[in-house]
Amino acid sequence: MTTELLLAAFLIGVGLCIAGAATHLYQWRAGQPAVLRYDGETFLGSLGNLAMSFVCGPYIMLQIGWRHEDNGTLSMTSALVSAIVAFGWAFITGLLFLGAYVAIRP
């Protein structure tokens, strides 16, 4: 049971690292903030935004959870829900990238 829990935590960590690095790389290269979206000027642009949203999604969700309310306070409900969604999403992202790494490496 401990092995499975540590493997899940490792996959979440890998997913968050990839999401954070991809988000900062996207913002540096595109010159605009990364947001969850699927629109684009062309079909390929839409697919690119969708792929960016999938890979960068966990990091963006964590940023969304830390936004302040109108009166300057932090909503604990928003922070907890976004953290749960982000960590679940990071697990899937980490599983995808780590699985691809294990499948491709010699």
Side-chain angles (χ1 to χ4, degrees), residues 46-69:
S46 296
L47 288 180
N49 285 337
L50 190 62
M52 181 274 307
S53 293
F54 178 76
V55 173
C56 301
Y59 192 77
I60 296 169
M61 282 301 298
L62 286 175
Q63 289 178 344
I64 289 172
W66 288 104
R67 288 191 183 155
H68 293 283
E69 300 292 324

Side-chain angles (χ1 to χ4, degrees), residues 34 39 51 65 70 81 89:
D39 61 333
D70 292 335
V81 168
W89 197 341

Side-chain angles (χ1 to χ4, degrees), residues 28-100:
W28 172 59
R29 295 298 296 156
Q32 61 184 356
V35 294
L36 299 175
R37 62 181 181 195
Y38 58 89
D39 61 333
E41 294 182 13
T42 63
F43 180 68
L44 287 177
S46 296
L47 288 180
N49 285 337
L50 190 62
M52 181 274 307
S53 293
F54 178 76
V55 173
C56 301
Y59 192 77
I60 296 169
M61 282 301 298
L62 286 175
Q63 289 178 344
I64 289 172
W66 288 104
R67 288 191 183 155
H68 293 283
E69 300 292 324
D70 292 335
N71 58 0
T73 61
L74 182 68
S75 170
M76 285 305 286
T77 305
S78 175
L80 289 174
V81 168
S82 69
I84 289 171
V85 170
F87 289 147
W89 197 341
F91 177 81
I92 293 176
T93 304
L95 187 65
L96 177 75
F97 280 93
L98 207 57

